[in-house]
Amino acid sequence: MGEKGMMTFPGSTTGRLHQWRFGVLIALVCVSMVVIWSIDGCTIKDFINETWRFKPDFSNLKGTTSTTTTTTTTTTTTTSNGHNQTHFDLNLTDGLPKLKWISTELESDYTNNLLRKWKAPGGEPCKDSEAVEISIPGLEITGNTSSVELSTGNVHEFQFQAIDEAKNPVCVGGDYFEIDLSGPRWKSRPLVKDFGNGSYSISLQVHPDFAGEYLLTVIFLFRHFQGLKFSPKRFGFDRELRKIPIKFVETSGKLPELRTCRKSDFTRDVWSGRWTRHGENNKCEISNDGRYRCLASDFPCQRPWCDGYLGSLESNGWVYSTHCSFKMFTSDSAWDCLKNRWIFFWGDSNHVDTIRNLLNFVLDLPEISSVPRRFDMYFSNPRDSSQTVRITSIFNGHWNETKNYQGLNSLQDEGFRILLKSYFSENSVPDAIIMNSGLHDGVYWSSIRAFAGGAEYAASFWKEVMESVKQRGLQVPEIIYRTTIATGGYARTLAFNPSKMESFNGVVLDKFREAGLLTGVIDNFDMTYPWHYDNRCNDGVHYGRAPLKMKWRDGEIGHQYFVDLMLAHVLLNVLCSKVQV
C-alpha cells in the first residue's frame, strides 16, 4: 500500500528542501496578486461591471433584484453609438441586506437634454418605426403561474423594450408609459427610466408592512414625445398593454423608518412617494354636504406613515408619504404656525381650491365657501382673534383673472408685472411664496423650446424681484415650487396631458434652480399621479373642488377631495418645519 505521508525531523535535508519550496511558493503567490491587482482596466470592479452590463438587445432583457446579500447601484453611460448602457455596482454589506428606499432626482441640465432628445434625428428603420407594444420578459406570466412573486423591501428593476407591429425593436426613446402599482392598501407610480434607445426599465418596491396581492398596470399613452405637441389629442395612443398580477412576499429585510419631514427634506426636486391605507369603513356613505366622514376625526395615524389624526383627511384611511412622512395639522397647531405671517400664492386655479380647503378643513373657517382667483385678505382664528394670517393669491393663468391659457406668458403684460412687484415694494414682504405654473402653459406654448424660453423669462423676473427685496435690507421670502398636477381621466390626452406637464415641471425647476430662487419643492405631480387614471378624485384638471352631493363627471354622486386636502397639510409641513441644526 502506498504511503499516505512522510514524516521528517528538524534539521533533516528533506525538511529543509520542503521549507525552501514552500517559501518560493508563497513569494510567487504574493507577486501574482500584485500583478493582478495592478493590471489597468481589469480590476474586480470592472469585471463585475462587465458581467452585469445591460445590453440594448431586447431579447436579452431580464429583471434585476437586489438580493439578501447585496444591493446594486445603477449608473448610466452613453456609448459611442449614442446608446445608453446601465452598469450595476455590487455593494456587499457583510452578508446582510442593505435596503434603501427607491429614489430619483431631476436630471442635470434637464432642459437642454430634453431638447436634444426631442430633436433626435431619425433616418434609420428602427428609429422611424412606431412602437405599438413592449417586450418585458421578466414580468410576463407564463405556464401555469398565475402571478409574479417578488420580495418586499427590495427594489426590483425590470427592463423592457418598445417594439413595432412586426415585433422589431424600436431604437429611439421618448415613449410615455403610465405605470401603476396598486394593492388593497398601497398605490404608487413605479420609477420608469428611459435609456433613449427604445429600452426602458420599471423599478418596483413595496414596504414589508404591505405584503400581498398587487396589480401592475402599464398604459402606453404617447409615442416619441408626441404628448409635447401643441395639439396632442389626435396623437394619443392610450392603450393598456399589461395588467400583471404580482404577489409581494414579506422578507426579513428592513427599510429605514421614515421620519417626519424637516425643512431640508423639501430640497428634493422629484419625489418617489406612495399612498398607503391604514383604516377603512366599507359602509361609508356621502353626507348631505358632500363630505366623506368615513373614519372618526380623531382616528390616529400609524407611525411612521404620518403623524396626527388621519381621520381629519377624510380619505377613508389613505395617506401620502415619500422620502419622509407628514404631520396632519389640527386647527390649533396650524394657527400657531401661521399666526402673524404673510403667505403669497402665485399659480393656477388649483391654488384657489387648496387655499379654500385649507381655510375650511384645517383653519376651521367653513363659512368661506369660495375664494376668488385674485385676492389679498387677512383671516382670523375663530377661537382667538389675536391670531391672523395674511394670504395673497394672484392667478397666473392670464394677466386678466377672468381669462385663461396664458400661463407664464402672462408676465409679458406690463400691468401684470407691476401688480406683482407692488406686493414686494411695501415696508414688509411675504414670508413665503407658493408658486406653480403648467396647465395654462400647456395650452399656450407651441413647443417645449418656446416654453423653456418662457420659463427662463419667469425665472429672471422673479430673480429681479427678490434682488430688489434684498437691496432694501429685507428678509427675502422663501420660495416653494409646487409642481403641476397629473391631469386625470379624459384630460390625459389633452394639451395639458401628464407627459407634457411632467416635462414642463422639469423645465421650470431647472430654470428656477439655475437662477438660485428655490428654497423648497412640493411634488404635487407625484402626489396626484396614482389617482389620475379616472375622474373619481378630480374633474380632469382640479383635485380640490369643494365637496358637493351632486352628480360628478364620472356619473357618480359626489367626488373625493382628499388628494388636495393632503396637499394643504404638506404645505403646512414645509411652512411650519424648522431648520435642523
Side-chain angles (χ1 to χ4, degrees), residues 31-206:
V31 171
S32 300
M33 290 178 65
V34 171
V35 171
I36 290 172
W37 284 97
S38 63
I39 295 175
D40 183 30
C42 194
T43 62
I44 296 300
K45 181 179 179 181
D46 289 334
F47 173 75
I48 292 174
N49 281 341
E50 289 297 320
T51 302
W52 285 79
R53 180 169 293 169
F54 168 68
K55 298 177 175 58
D57 182 1
F58 79 98
S59 63
N60 293 321
L61 295 178
K62 60 182 179 180
T64 61
T65 305
S66 55
T67 68
T68 57
T69 57
T70 65
T71 57
T72 60
T73 302
T74 306
T75 57
T76 303
T77 59
T78 304
T79 63
S80 58
N81 63 1
H83 288 178
N84 287 328
Q85 53 191 20
T86 301
H87 303 267
F88 299 86
D89 293 337
L90 302 185
N91 182 14
L92 302 178
T93 55
D94 301 324
L96 297 174
K98 185 182 179 182
L99 302 182
K100 295 182 179 180
W101 283 104
I102 194 170
S103 64
T104 188
E105 59 186 22
L106 187 69
E107 181 182 9
S108 60
D109 199 17
Y110 178 88
T111 304
N112 287 331
N113 284 327
L114 176 61
L115 290 172
R116 175 179 54 79
K117 297 170 187 175
W118 174 61
K119 295 185 298 181
E124 300 176 39
C126 67
K127 290 184 177 180
D128 293 333
S129 61
E130 289 189 331
V132 298
E133 249 289 359
I134 60 173
S135 173
I136 184 167
L139 282 173
E140 303 290 10
I141 303 297
T142 59
N144 296 323
T145 57
S146 59
S147 65
V148 176
E149 188 169 299
L150 301 174
S151 58
T152 59
N154 295 298
V155 176
H156 305 271
E157 184 175 14
F158 296 91
Q159 283 96 26
F160 65 97
Q161 174 71 44
I163 56 178
D164 61 18
E165 286 281 7
K167 300 190 183 303
N168 293 318
V170 175
C171 61
V172 66
D175 297 325
Y176 192 81
F177 299 94
E178 295 177 315
I179 314 290
D180 178 66
L181 181 65
S182 292
R185 299 191 300 130
W186 178 287
K187 286 182 70 67
S188 65
R189 179 200 187 190
L191 179 63
V192 180
K193 296 178 185 176
D194 181 352
F195 296 105
N197 57 4
S199 59
Y200 305 81
S201 73
I202 307 173
S203 294
L204 309 177
Q205 184 182 43
V206 168

Side-chain angles (χ1 to χ4, degrees), residues 13 33 45 51 98 155 210 212 217 233 250 345 357 365 370 420 428 434 456 490 537 540 562:
T13 303
M33 290 178 65
K45 181 179 179 181
T51 302
K98 185 182 179 182
V155 176
F210 299 90
T217 304
K233 183 172 176 56
E250 186 174 357
F345 288 83
N357 285 334
L365 296 169
S370 65
L420 290 170
S428 61
I434 311 296
E456 189 165 357
Y490 74 94
C537 296
F562 66 84

